[in-house]
PDB file of all heavy atoms in Angstrom:
ATOM      1  N   GLU V 410     133.988 -47.660-132.279  1.00 94.00           N
ATOM      2  CA  GLU V 410     132.837 -47.008-131.668  1.00 94.00           C
ATOM      3  C   GLU V 410     133.158 -46.459-130.276  1.00 94.00           C
ATOM      4  O   GLU V 410     132.430 -45.591-129.766  1.00 94.00           O
ATOM      5  CB  GLU V 410     131.645 -47.971-131.587  1.00 94.00           C
ATOM      6  CG  GLU V 410     131.882 -49.204-130.735  1.00 94.00           C
ATOM      7  CD  GLU V 410     132.417 -50.381-131.527  1.00 94.00           C
ATOM      8  OE1 GLU V 410     133.070 -50.152-132.570  1.00 94.00           O
ATOM      9  OE2 GLU V 410     132.175 -51.532-131.105  1.00 94.00           O
ATOM     10  N   GLU V 411     134.234 -46.925-129.670  1.00 95.00           N
ATOM     11  CA  GLU V 411     134.604 -46.475-128.331  1.00 95.00           C
ATOM     12  C   GLU V 411     135.525 -45.255-128.339  1.00 95.00           C
ATOM     13  O   GLU V 411     135.588 -44.513-127.359  1.00 95.00           O
ATOM     14  CB  GLU V 411     135.309 -47.608-127.573  1.00 95.00           C
ATOM     15  CG  GLU V 411     134.439 -48.833-127.351  1.00 95.00           C
ATOM     16  CD  GLU V 411     135.236 -50.015-126.828  1.00 95.00           C
ATOM     17  OE1 GLU V 411     136.472 -50.075-127.099  1.00 95.00           O
ATOM     18  OE2 GLU V 411     134.643 -50.885-126.166  1.00 95.00           O
ATOM     19  N   ILE V 412     136.220 -45.038-129.446  1.00 95.00           N
ATOM     20  CA  ILE V 412     137.267 -44.017-129.463  1.00 95.00           C
ATOM     21  C   ILE V 412     136.793 -42.654-129.972  1.00 95.00           C
ATOM     22  O   ILE V 412     137.387 -41.620-129.648  1.00 95.00           O
ATOM     23  CB  ILE V 412     138.463 -44.514-130.303  1.00 95.00           C
ATOM     24  CG1 ILE V 412     139.724 -43.705-129.961  1.00 95.00           C
ATOM     25  CG2 ILE V 412     138.163 -44.448-131.802  1.00 95.00           C
ATOM     26  CD1 ILE V 412     140.989 -44.245-130.617  1.00 95.00           C
ATOM     27  N   LEU V 413     135.724 -42.617-130.739  1.00 93.00           N
ATOM     28  CA  LEU V 413     135.333 -41.388-131.424  1.00 93.00           C
ATOM     29  C   LEU V 413     134.971 -40.266-130.459  1.00 93.00           C
ATOM     30  O   LEU V 413     135.496 -39.152-130.548  1.00 93.00           O
ATOM     31  CB  LEU V 413     134.162 -41.668-132.374  1.00 93.00           C
ATOM     32  CG  LEU V 413     134.467 -42.607-133.554  1.00 93.00           C
ATOM     33  CD1 LEU V 413     133.195 -42.874-134.359  1.00 93.00           C
ATOM     34  CD2 LEU V 413     135.549 -42.016-134.444  1.00 93.00           C
ATOM     35  N   MET V 414     134.056 -40.524-129.526  1.00 92.00           N
ATOM     36  CA  MET V 414     133.620 -39.459-128.626  1.00 92.00           C
ATOM     37  C   MET V 414     134.725 -39.003-127.679  1.00 92.00           C
ATOM     38  O   MET V 414     134.908 -37.790-127.477  1.00 92.00           O
ATOM     39  CB  MET V 414     132.378 -39.908-127.842  1.00 92.00           C
ATOM     40  CG  MET V 414     131.633 -38.739-127.209  1.00 92.00           C
ATOM     41  SD  MET V 414     131.039 -37.602-128.487  1.00 92.00           S
ATOM     42  CE  MET V 414     131.169 -36.025-127.643  1.00 92.00           C
ATOM     43  N   PRO V 415     135.508 -39.892-127.083  1.00 93.00           N
ATOM     44  CA  PRO V 415     136.631 -39.431-126.253  1.00 93.00           C
ATOM     45  C   PRO V 415     137.623 -38.559-127.029  1.00 93.00           C
ATOM     46  O   PRO V 415     138.143 -37.578-126.485  1.00 93.00           O
ATOM     47  CB  PRO V 415     137.280 -40.737-125.780  1.00 93.00           C
ATOM     48  CG  PRO V 415     136.150 -41.723-125.785  1.00 93.00           C
ATOM     49  CD  PRO V 415     135.316 -41.345-126.957  1.00 93.00           C
ATOM     50  N   LEU V 416     137.878 -38.897-128.298  1.00 93.00           N
ATOM     51  CA  LEU V 416     138.769 -38.070-129.119  1.00 93.00           C
ATOM     52  C   LEU V 416     138.205 -36.665-129.298  1.00 93.00           C
ATOM     53  O   LEU V 416     138.919 -35.668-129.176  1.00 93.00           O
ATOM     54  CB  LEU V 416     138.976 -38.712-130.492  1.00 93.00           C
ATOM     55  CG  LEU V 416     140.128 -39.683-130.681  1.00 93.00           C
ATOM     56  CD1 LEU V 416     140.174 -40.149-132.130  1.00 93.00           C
ATOM     57  CD2 LEU V 416     141.455 -39.057-130.282  1.00 93.00           C
ATOM     58  N   LEU V 417     136.914 -36.592-129.601  1.00 91.00           N
ATOM     59  CA  LEU V 417     136.291 -35.286-129.807  1.00 91.00           C
ATOM     60  C   LEU V 417     136.346 -34.453-128.531  1.00 91.00           C
ATOM     61  O   LEU V 417     136.662 -33.253-128.575  1.00 91.00           O
ATOM     62  CB  LEU V 417     134.840 -35.462-130.269  1.00 91.00           C
ATOM     63  CG  LEU V 417     134.067 -34.168-130.514  1.00 91.00           C
ATOM     64  CD1 LEU V 417     134.737 -33.327-131.602  1.00 91.00           C
ATOM     65  CD2 LEU V 417     132.618 -34.466-130.890  1.00 91.00           C
ATOM     66  N   LYS V 418     136.050 -35.062-127.398  1.00 91.00           N
ATOM     67  CA  LYS V 418     136.061 -34.323-126.131  1.00 91.00           C
ATOM     68  C   LYS V 418     137.452 -33.785-125.815  1.00 91.00           C
ATOM     69  O   LYS V 418     137.596 -32.665-125.321  1.00 91.00           O
ATOM     70  CB  LYS V 418     135.563 -35.228-125.006  1.00 91.00           C
ATOM     71  CG  LYS V 418     134.059 -35.481-125.037  1.00 91.00           C
ATOM     72  CD  LYS V 418     133.627 -36.350-123.869  1.00 91.00           C
ATOM     73  CE  LYS V 418     132.111 -36.544-123.867  1.00 91.00           C
ATOM     74  NZ  LYS V 418     131.671 -37.404-122.726  1.00 91.00           N
ATOM     75  N   LYS V 419     138.479 -34.585-126.102  1.00 95.00           N
ATOM     76  CA  LYS V 419     139.833 -34.157-125.766  1.00 95.00           C
ATOM     77  C   LYS V 419     140.343 -33.060-126.697  1.00 95.00           C
ATOM     78  O   LYS V 419     141.030 -32.119-126.256  1.00 95.00           O
ATOM     79  CB  LYS V 419     140.783 -35.355-125.796  1.00 95.00           C
ATOM     80  CG  LYS V 419     142.227 -34.953-125.486  1.00 95.00           C
ATOM     81  CD  LYS V 419     143.143 -36.142-125.327  1.00 95.00           C
ATOM     82  CE  LYS V 419     144.566 -35.655-124.988  1.00 95.00           C
ATOM     83  NZ  LYS V 419     145.493 -36.780-124.733  1.00 95.00           N
ATOM     84  N   TYR V 420     139.999 -33.153-127.994  1.00 94.00           N
ATOM     85  CA  TYR V 420     140.646 -32.280-128.975  1.00 94.00           C
ATOM     86  C   TYR V 420     139.720 -31.240-129.613  1.00 94.00           C
ATOM     87  O   TYR V 420     140.165 -30.488-130.488  1.00 94.00           O
ATOM     88  CB  TYR V 420     141.263 -33.142-130.091  1.00 94.00           C
ATOM     89  CG  TYR V 420     142.489 -33.899-129.653  1.00 94.00           C
ATOM     90  CD1 TYR V 420     142.436 -35.261-129.412  1.00 94.00           C
ATOM     91  CD2 TYR V 420     143.708 -33.250-129.488  1.00 94.00           C
ATOM     92  CE1 TYR V 420     143.569 -35.966-129.023  1.00 94.00           C
ATOM     93  CE2 TYR V 420     144.847 -33.936-129.101  1.00 94.00           C
ATOM     94  CZ  TYR V 420     144.772 -35.288-128.867  1.00 94.00           C
ATOM     95  OH  TYR V 420     145.899 -35.977-128.479  1.00 94.00           O
ATOM     96  N   LYS V 421     138.470 -31.158-129.194  1.00 90.00           N
ATOM     97  CA  LYS V 421     137.532 -30.301-129.929  1.00 90.00           C
ATOM     98  C   LYS V 421     137.939 -28.832-129.952  1.00 90.00           C
ATOM     99  O   LYS V 421     137.571 -28.099-130.883  1.00 90.00           O
ATOM    100  CB  LYS V 421     136.112 -30.464-129.384  1.00 90.00           C
ATOM    101  CG  LYS V 421     135.916 -29.986-127.957  1.00 90.00           C
ATOM    102  CD  LYS V 421     134.461 -30.217-127.551  1.00 90.00           C
ATOM    103  CE  LYS V 421     134.216 -29.790-126.107  1.00 90.00           C
ATOM    104  NZ  LYS V 421     132.782 -30.029-125.727  1.00 90.00           N
ATOM    105  N   LEU V 422     138.702 -28.370-128.976  1.00 91.00           N
ATOM    106  CA  LEU V 422     139.147 -26.983-128.972  1.00 91.00           C
ATOM    107  C   LEU V 422     140.429 -26.785-129.782  1.00 91.00           C
ATOM    108  O   LEU V 422     140.846 -25.638-129.998  1.00 91.00           O
ATOM    109  CB  LEU V 422     139.364 -26.507-127.532  1.00 91.00           C
ATOM    110  CG  LEU V 422     138.122 -26.505-126.635  1.00 91.00           C
ATOM    111  CD1 LEU V 422     138.481 -26.032-125.233  1.00 91.00           C
ATOM    112  CD2 LEU V 422     137.014 -25.652-127.230  1.00 91.00           C
ATOM    113  N   ASN V 423     141.013 -27.883-130.239  1.00 93.00           N
ATOM    114  CA  ASN V 423     142.289 -27.797-130.952  1.00 93.00           C
ATOM    115  C   ASN V 423     142.196 -28.196-132.426  1.00 93.00           C
ATOM    116  O   ASN V 423     143.192 -28.100-133.146  1.00 93.00           O
ATOM    117  CB  ASN V 423     143.332 -28.704-130.282  1.00 93.00           C
ATOM    118  CG  ASN V 423     143.676 -28.248-128.881  1.00 93.00           C
ATOM    119  OD1 ASN V 423     143.585 -27.061-128.567  1.00 93.00           O
ATOM    120  ND2 ASN V 423     144.062 -29.176-128.031  1.00 93.00           N
ATOM    121  N   ILE V 424     141.044 -28.652-132.868  1.00 91.00           N
ATOM    122  CA  ILE V 424     140.926 -29.123-134.248  1.00 91.00           C
ATOM    123  C   ILE V 424     140.256 -28.062-135.116  1.00 91.00           C
ATOM    124  O   ILE V 424     139.395 -27.304-134.653  1.00 91.00           O
ATOM    125  CB  ILE V 424     140.160 -30.468-134.338  1.00 91.00           C
ATOM    126  CG1 ILE V 424     138.754 -30.336-133.760  1.00 91.00           C
ATOM    127  CG2 ILE V 424     140.940 -31.569-133.630  1.00 91.00           C
ATOM    128  CD1 ILE V 424     137.928 -31.621-133.879  1.00 91.00           C
ATOM    129  N   THR V 425     140.672 -28.032-136.374  1.00 91.00           N
ATOM    130  CA  THR V 425     140.153 -27.054-137.335  1.00 91.00           C
ATOM    131  C   THR V 425     139.320 -27.711-138.418  1.00 91.00           C
ATOM    132  O   THR V 425     138.292 -27.178-138.839  1.00 91.00           O
ATOM    133  CB  THR V 425     141.324 -26.297-137.996  1.00 91.00           C
ATOM    134  OG1 THR V 425     142.094 -25.655-136.980  1.00 91.00           O
ATOM    135  CG2 THR V 425     140.821 -25.260-138.987  1.00 91.00           C
ATOM    136  N   TRP V 426     139.773 -28.872-138.879  1.00 90.00           N
ATOM    137  CA  TRP V 426     139.137 -29.535-140.019  1.00 90.00           C
ATOM    138  C   TRP V 426     138.258 -30.710-139.595  1.00 90.00           C
ATOM    139  O   TRP V 426     138.034 -31.642-140.341  1.00 90.00           O
ATOM    140  CB  TRP V 426     140.195 -30.005-141.018  1.00 90.00           C
ATOM    141  CG  TRP V 426     141.147 -28.921-141.416  1.00 90.00           C
ATOM    142  CD1 TRP V 426     142.475 -28.859-141.154  1.00 90.00           C
ATOM    143  CD2 TRP V 426     140.832 -27.724-142.145  1.00 90.00           C
ATOM    144  NE1 TRP V 426     143.021 -27.710-141.663  1.00 90.00           N
ATOM    145  CE2 TRP V 426     142.037 -26.992-142.279  1.00 90.00           C
ATOM    146  CE3 TRP V 426     139.660 -27.193-142.683  1.00 90.00           C
ATOM    147  CZ2 TRP V 426     142.091 -25.756-142.941  1.00 90.00           C
ATOM    148  CZ3 TRP V 426     139.713 -25.961-143.332  1.00 90.00           C
ATOM    149  CH2 TRP V 426     140.915 -25.268-143.456  1.00 90.00           C
ATOM    150  N   GLY V 427     137.744 -30.653-138.377  1.00 87.00           N
ATOM    151  CA  GLY V 427     136.731 -31.595-137.930  1.00 87.00           C
ATOM    152  C   GLY V 427     137.151 -33.048-137.956  1.00 87.00           C
ATOM    153  O   GLY V 427     138.178 -33.439-137.396  1.00 87.00           O
ATOM    154  N   ASP V 428     136.328 -33.844-138.619  1.00 92.00           N
ATOM    155  CA  ASP V 428     136.542 -35.290-138.632  1.00 92.00           C
ATOM    156  C   ASP V 428     137.864 -35.673-139.285  1.00 92.00           C
ATOM    157  O   ASP V 428     138.477 -36.677-138.922  1.00 92.00           O
ATOM    158  CB  ASP V 428     135.379 -35.990-139.340  1.00 92.00           C
ATOM    159  CG  ASP V 428     135.126 -35.431-140.733  1.00 92.00           C
ATOM    160  OD1 ASP V 428     135.082 -34.197-140.884  1.00 92.00           O
ATOM    161  OD2 ASP V 428     134.999 -36.232-141.668  1.00 92.00           O
ATOM    162  N   GLN V 429     138.340 -34.892-140.254  1.00 94.00           N
ATOM    163  CA  GLN V 429     139.645 -35.182-140.855  1.00 94.00           C
ATOM    164  C   GLN V 429     140.751 -35.090-139.809  1.00 94.00           C
ATOM    165  O   GLN V 429     141.677 -35.900-139.807  1.00 94.00           O
ATOM    166  CB  GLN V 429     139.936 -34.226-142.009  1.00 94.00           C
ATOM    167  CG  GLN V 429     141.321 -34.432-142.629  1.00 94.00           C
ATOM    168  CD  GLN V 429     141.547 -33.596-143.870  1.00 94.00           C
ATOM    169  OE1 GLN V 429     140.916 -33.819-144.899  1.00 94.00           O
ATOM    170  NE2 GLN V 429     142.453 -32.629-143.780  1.00 94.00           N
ATOM    171  N   ASP V 430     140.664 -34.117-138.922  1.00 94.00           N
ATOM    172  CA  ASP V 430     141.657 -33.995-137.860  1.00 94.00           C
ATOM    173  C   ASP V 430     141.601 -35.200-136.919  1.00 94.00           C
ATOM    174  O   ASP V 430     142.641 -35.709-136.470  1.00 94.00           O
ATOM    175  CB  ASP V 430     141.429 -32.712-137.063  1.00 94.00           C
ATOM    176  CG  ASP V 430     141.762 -31.465-137.866  1.00 94.00           C
ATOM    177  OD1 ASP V 430     142.411 -31.597-138.924  1.00 94.00           O
ATOM    178  OD2 ASP V 430     141.362 -30.365-137.446  1.00 94.00           O
ATOM    179  N   LEU V 431     140.398 -35.663-136.611  1.00 95.00           N
ATOM    180  CA  LEU V 431     140.267 -36.833-135.734  1.00 95.00           C
ATOM    181  C   LEU V 431     140.890 -38.065-136.385  1.00 95.00           C
ATOM    182  O   LEU V 431     141.543 -38.870-135.710  1.00 95.00           O
ATOM    183  CB  LEU V 431     138.797 -37.086-135.406  1.00 95.00           C
ATOM    184  CG  LEU V 431     138.080 -35.985-134.610  1.00 95.00           C
ATOM    185  CD1 LEU V 431     136.635 -36.395-134.326  1.00 95.00           C
ATOM    186  CD2 LEU V 431     138.805 -35.675-133.311  1.00 95.00           C
TER     187      LEU V 431
END
Side-chain angles (χ1 to χ4, degrees):
E410 62 269 27
E411 298 170 334
I412 199 173
L413 295 176
M414 197 62 214
L416 270 182
L417 180 60
K418 286 182 177 180
K419 178 172 181 176
Y420 288 105
K421 65 180 178 180
L422 298 179
N423 295 332
I424 59 177
T425 302
W426 308 114
D428 54 313
Q429 177 173 292
D430 290 346
L431 296 182

